[in-house]
Amino acid sequence: MKPQPAQPDLLYSEEEEALRAAVRDLLTDHCDAASVIKRTESDAPHDLSLWKSLADGMGLAGLLVPEDKGGQGATHREVAVVLEELGRAVAPVPYLTSAVVATEALLACDADDLLADLASGRRVGALAVALNVAPGGAFRTVRLEDGLLYGELTGIADAAVADVLLVPAEDGGLYAVEAAEVGVAPQVSLDLTRPVATVSFDGARGRLVGDGGPAVRRALRAGAGLLASEQLGLADWALTETVRYLKERKQFNRPVGGFQALKHRLAQLWLEVVNLRAAARNAADALATGADTDLAVAVAQAYAARVAVHAAEEAVQLHGGLGMTWEHPVHLYLKRAKADSIAYGTAGAHRAELAELVDLRAP
């Protein structure tokens, strides 16, 4: 009899809940809304002090790295829990780009020294592929001439704080390039907490660390799958905060949340968030176990963007009694949700990939 595949575990373990509590406590103390908004108005939106606490103090930068390579030897499930909490706080730290995407690229290469640096949090890494590129999608490369790199890459997330960039070149290799070797020019970004930049190479020296194609595909797949957990945290915050606000705000001498029309909108949003949690947990579990990973990631990202954007839009609308105010953090969540909706591939791109995976091609 043919053995049946193991069912994905969508529940949180006790260890994962303990990790969530620890990360939430840290973010409550060190990542309040006022400080995040203040940073977005400055020339240094990243909170490197918070990053040090997460990476060095709690060891979260090395969750995906095996213990024998200097990491914690955890799985994508634990990383997903961390990203849920970072999404709830719209934390301006390079966790997804360094501890997930750059780390996954290095795990496909032979660069244990650099991997250990990223795992310890001593250095921040960034994959020099535009944030909008989907897993398996085409990405731009730089020229390799006489051992030096030339060209320009745009839309690179968190390049401004990266100590090392992982750069795909035309020869098919992936090169580690020190930040001092390149020029980084900020681009206008909708999401003020995850800025993107143009990175220029004018005779930059790089060290070949591996085959670019497989490394980039692995990194983008993990990025897309775990981005769904960040979007889940964002949507859950929007729902929870909106419910709390509508219970407090009164109109006609009664709480606004008591009006039937608003109850229906919130109930619908709750169902969407619950479904997103299932899709995000399935993607994290698939990445951890290697079971139907491409399918799980495509399903999660085909659904996550719409829910996160809808939740943030509802939060903005139902907080309408506040008027127009920059001080309330809800606008940061809407901007992050909108930016995430095209990060690592649009929902349409993932639906097309999903159709191919299940052999459901358009006529």
Side-chain angles (χ1 to χ4, degrees):
M1 183 176 179
K2 184 178 180 180
Q4 296 296 315
Q7 294 298 313
D9 182 5
L10 305 186
L11 301 179
Y12 298 98
S13 67
E14 291 184 8
E15 293 78 9
E16 289 165 355
E17 291 292 4
L19 175 61
R20 179 195 306 282
V23 175
R24 185 173 296 189
D25 286 346
L26 177 66
L27 293 173
T28 300
D29 293 338
H30 300 285
C31 191
D32 59 285
S35 65
V36 175
I37 293 172
K38 185 177 180 180
R39 285 189 175 279
T40 62
E41 297 172 336
S42 71
D43 295 330
H46 293 93
D47 190 342
L48 295 183
S49 175
L50 175 60
W51 168 250
K52 182 176 176 61
S53 298
L54 290 166
D56 187 22
M58 299 184 69
L60 300 182
L63 287 180
L64 291 178
V65 180
E67 292 184 62
D68 60 355
K69 295 185 178 181
Q72 305 300 320
T75 73
H76 300 79
R77 291 175 58 92
E78 289 78 15
V79 174
V81 171
V82 174
L83 281 167
E84 283 183 38
E85 294 307 309
L86 294 178
R88 285 181 61 89
V90 243
V93 293
Y95 190 84
L96 181 64
T97 48
S98 182
V100 176
V101 177
T103 295
E104 284 279 356
L106 288 174
L107 285 169
C109 301
D110 184 20
D112 289 355
D113 56 334
L114 189 52
L115 192 61
D117 285 345
L118 264 58
S120 68
R122 291 190 299 268
R123 310 184 78 194
V124 174
L127 180 66
V129 172
L131 183 61
N132 67 307
V133 176
F139 53 89
R140 294 180 61 185
T141 59
V142 296
R143 301 191 319 275
L144 180 66
E145 297 179 7
D146 299 325
L148 300 177
L149 300 173
Y150 297 86
E152 183 178 271
L153 300 173
T154 60
I156 310 303
D158 293 332
V161 291
D163 299 299
V164 61
L165 293 113
L166 305 177
V167 185
E170 288 180 346
D171 68 340
L174 187 69
Y175 290 81
V177 180
E178 297 295 321
E181 294 283 327
V182 304
V184 178
Q187 294 179 261
V188 177
S189 176
L190 177 63
D191 180 6
L192 303 175
T193 62
R194 181 177 288 146
V196 296
T198 296
V199 181
S200 55
F201 303 81
D202 187 13
R205 292 168 295 179
R207 172 167 65 106
L208 180 64
V209 293
D211 189 349
V216 170
R217 283 193 295 273
R218 172 173 175 168
L220 296 183
R221 184 180 65 177
L226 292 173
L227 177 65
S229 292
E230 177 185 287
Q231 292 166 303
L232 167 62
L234 185 158
D236 189 59
W237 178 92
L239 173 61
T240 302
E241 184 63 20
T242 303
V243 170
R244 183 199 64 76
Y245 175 74
L246 293 182
K247 286 181 178 179
E248 294 179 355
R249 177 168 170 78
K250 291 186 177 181
Q251 192 174 43
F252 306 118
N253 204 31
R254 60 178 291 190
V256 173
F259 293 108
Q260 194 72 13
L262 297 188
K263 286 183 178 181
H264 288 167
R265 287 171 67 171
L266 293 171
Q268 178 60 39
L269 186 57
W270 180 82
L271 287 173
E272 293 177 9
V273 172
V274 168
N275 290 336
L276 173 54
R277 178 172 285 107
R281 292 299 294 167
N282 183 50
D285 187 73
L287 285 165
T289 61
D292 291 328
T293 305
D294 292 336
L295 184 64
V297 169
V299 168
Q301 275 306 316
Y303 185 69
R306 183 182 66 81
V307 175
V309 171
H310 182 217
E313 288 177 341
E314 288 286 75
V316 170
Q317 290 182 15
L318 296 177
H319 278 79
L322 289 172
M324 290 190 64
T325 173
W326 185 261
E327 286 72 24
H328 198 282
V330 68
H331 68 93
L332 296 177
Y333 289 84
L334 178 57
K335 291 168 183 174
R336 172 68 71 88
K338 286 286 190 179
D340 281 355
S341 69
I342 62 171
Y344 306 116
T346 63
H350 288 284
R351 283 194 291 269
E353 172 67 13
L354 180 59
E356 289 290 329
L357 290 170
V358 299
D359 198 25
L360 187 63
R361 297 176 179 83

